[in-house]
Amino acid sequence: MKREQLTEKILDIKREKGWTWKYICEEIGGMSPVLVVGALLGQMKLVKPLAKKAAELFGLSEVEERMLNEVPMRGAGTPMPPTDPLIYRFYELVMVNGPAWKALIEEEFGDGIMSAIDFNMEMVREPNPKGDRVQITMSGKFLPYKYYGNEQGIPEYGFKES
């Protein structure tokens, strides 16, 4: 079985049982719903105790349980640019706002990046009389570039200079 086939099996069971992602995440628990759903869709891995809970919930075999614990090929299956309208809007946000985000982060923190590994994300529904809103909060660790081969007096990392 390939990882994509396991994802399809999980989605089939979800449909058959009439489960919501919220229900599934509550049953598996242990970490952010974004990470649990991402793992079940093949983009993240579940640590062994959570892979076991997912396997029990979905009635998966031992091999399938181990597959949920493997490091996946992240990003596989999503064309660039994305063709799904909802995913494309995130791509569009980065294309349009990315240069401003970059400039503001660098001005505040220095020469570096915001981690997508040491990263938190929350998504909540925000009621609004004109139509509910999707509120996404992202928090990533700032990782300064290392200036290797630096001579004495030259900073080692790209933190904001005073």
Side-chain angles (χ1 to χ4, degrees):
M1 173 180 277
K2 294 188 184 233
R3 187 59 185 87
E4 299 81 24
Q5 293 168 307
L6 178 55
T7 296
E8 288 305 316
K9 179 177 180 175
I10 288 167
L11 290 173
D12 285 345
I13 293 167
K14 177 185 177 293
R15 273 186 224 100
E16 181 184 303
K17 303 275 188 183
W19 291 341
T20 63
W21 287 120
K22 183 177 181 178
Y23 168 78
I24 293 166
C25 291
E26 287 171 353
E27 290 296 307
I28 296 171
M31 57 186 184
S32 164
V34 174
L35 296 177
V36 172
V37 173
L40 296 174
L41 293 176
Q43 295 300 306
M44 301 298 283
K45 74 170 246 177
L46 290 176
V47 295
K48 287 181 180 179
L50 299 184
K52 183 171 185 58
K53 288 174 99 174
E56 289 170 358
L57 179 65
F58 285 96
L60 304 178
S61 70
E62 286 183 40
V63 171
E64 292 165 333
E65 178 182 332
R66 285 195 297 272
M67 198 178 280
L68 289 174
N69 180 246
E70 292 175 358
V71 176
M73 180 63 72
R74 294 177 172 100
T78 302
M80 281 294 150
T83 55
D84 179 86
L86 195 144
I87 296 172
Y88 183 82
R89 289 300 163 272
F90 286 99
Y91 179 76
E92 183 178 50
L93 280 167
V94 172
M95 286 190 310
V96 173
N97 297 295
W101 295 340
K102 177 180 169 37
L104 292 166
I105 288 170
E106 288 172 347
E107 181 175 87
E108 181 68 27
F109 294 92
D111 183 15
I113 63 171
M114 182 180 86
S115 177
I117 305 298
D118 191 343
F119 180 83
N120 296 318
M121 182 173 150
E122 289 185 44
M123 184 183 72
V124 296
R125 183 183 200 123
E126 186 180 287
N128 187 297
K130 294 182 181 178
D132 289 357
R133 304 180 68 81
V134 179
Q135 182 185 53
I136 297 174
T137 304
M138 297 184 292
S139 172
K141 179 179 181 181
F142 179 73
L143 302 171
Y145 281 102
K146 181 174 181 175
Y147 301 151
Y148 51 89
N150 59 313
E151 298 175 0
Q152 187 174 0
I154 303 299
E156 186 176 3
Y157 291 96
F159 288 112
K160 182 178 178 181
E161 296 178 64
S162 305

